[in-house]
Amino acid sequence: MGKIISIGGSLLKHSLLLTGILLLDILTEFHDFFTISKLQQDQYEVLVIELILKGAFIWFLHWLYFRQLKRFNPNGYGLKPLSRKNTLIFLIGVASLFALLCVESLTPFNADNATNQVLVNKFIRTAPLLASVDAVLAAPIIEEFILRGIFFNYFVNKNTIMSKIFVVLVSGFVFGLLHEPHFTVNLLVYCTMGWLFGSVYALTGDLRYSIALHILNNVLAFVSMF
């Protein structure tokens, strides 16, 4: 009974932490507090302020992530030296990403209609420079720290195959819901991306690989709009 209470308390504490982090993430979206006309007029000022906010938030996530790794890290996650194994895993991840994008482009379903993508497209038309920095660079780093780094190491950090599969599946599903909150085929596309990023992190043990893959995905998505 005591063990169940302890596990429940830990899950509640970590859930509150994750909720707080997601709320902080929303607050860093400084451009959301402006009207379209005002954002177009003050795009560069908003860019500077948002870069400061997001930079501070990324620093906080970095500190939180590595603090947890120092406390308890049975999977050995962290900064790894360059190796053939991790390079191969990353290249397989890149090939899988291109395959996923090709399959998506050849089907009648279009991720451009997804809730997240509609908002991104509107953002790009309103403030292209701000949107490019936010979508291509800041968003992938923040999302990987939260949904892979922190989620993996605060919730399910047992060094077993089943626990890794479970946390990859759950984090990928959460990633999908954050980008497409409706049960459509677009949700499956985003979930698959989340599962791919999570798999790369779990297999390499280094968050930089999933961040790089996520940035590549967003660069390709951004370029395809023009």
Side-chain angles (χ1 to χ4, degrees):
M1 186 66 180
K3 186 177 181 180
I4 294 175
I5 294 175
S6 176
I7 293 173
S10 179
L11 285 175
L12 177 61
K13 182 176 69 174
H14 292 156
S15 297
L16 290 174
L17 173 65
L18 185 61
T19 301
I21 289 172
L22 292 175
L23 289 175
L24 283 176
D25 185 26
I26 293 173
L27 292 177
T28 63
E29 300 294 318
F30 190 65
H31 61 270
D32 286 342
F33 299 96
F34 288 76
T35 61
I36 291 178
S37 59
K38 187 67 174 175
L39 185 57
Q40 289 174 329
Q41 179 183 340
D42 300 327
Q43 176 184 180
Y44 300 107
E45 291 84 351
V46 175
L47 173 61
V48 172
I49 295 173
E50 194 154 304
L51 281 176
I52 294 173
L53 289 173
K54 289 186 179 293
F57 187 49
I58 289 172
W59 176 87
F60 170 70
L61 293 174
H62 180 276
W63 171 81
L64 200 64
Y65 172 61
F66 282 99
R67 186 186 70 160
Q68 173 62 17
L69 292 188
K70 288 180 180 179
R71 288 182 171 180
F72 186 64
N73 184 19
N75 292 289
Y77 291 135
L79 302 179
K80 306 286 185 180
L82 186 66
S83 65
R84 291 183 179 179
K85 173 195 168 187
N86 283 354
T87 300
L88 179 60
I89 291 171
F90 178 71
L91 291 177
I92 292 174
V94 171
S96 301
L97 177 62
F98 274 100
L100 173 63
L101 296 176
C102 287
V103 169
E104 189 239 320
S105 66
L106 294 174
T107 62
F109 308 106
N110 191 348
D112 286 341
N113 297 323
T115 303
N116 176 76
Q117 197 59 48
V118 170
L119 294 174
V120 170
N121 292 344
K122 182 180 179 180
F123 187 21
I124 290 174
R125 290 193 297 269
T126 304
L129 179 60
L130 178 58
S132 62
V133 173
D134 183 69
V136 173
L137 188 60
I141 296 174
I142 290 173
E143 289 175 3
E144 289 308 304
F145 263 114
I146 296 174
L147 294 174
R148 252 61 67 177
I150 291 174
F151 193 87
F152 275 49
N153 292 285
Y154 276 80
F155 284 87
V156 185
N157 55 2
K158 292 182 179 180
N159 188 16
T160 65
I161 294 177
M162 290 307 299
S163 65
K164 287 184 177 181
I165 292 175
F166 175 76
V167 76
V168 166
L169 291 176
V170 174
S171 68
F173 183 64
V174 173
F175 177 81
L177 285 176
L178 289 174
H179 290 79
E180 175 55 85
H182 305 100
F183 286 91
T184 65
V185 175
N186 291 322
L187 173 61
L188 179 59
V189 171
Y190 279 113
C191 285
T192 305
M193 286 182 182
W195 294 328
L196 177 59
F197 301 151
S199 297
V200 168
Y201 175 54
L203 291 171
T204 62
D206 192 328
L207 196 61
R208 291 175 296 182
Y209 289 96
S210 63
I211 289 175
L213 190 61
H214 197 154
I215 289 176
L216 174 62
N217 172 73
N218 286 24
V219 168
L220 293 173
F222 191 81
V223 171
S224 68
M225 298 176 189
F226 298 96

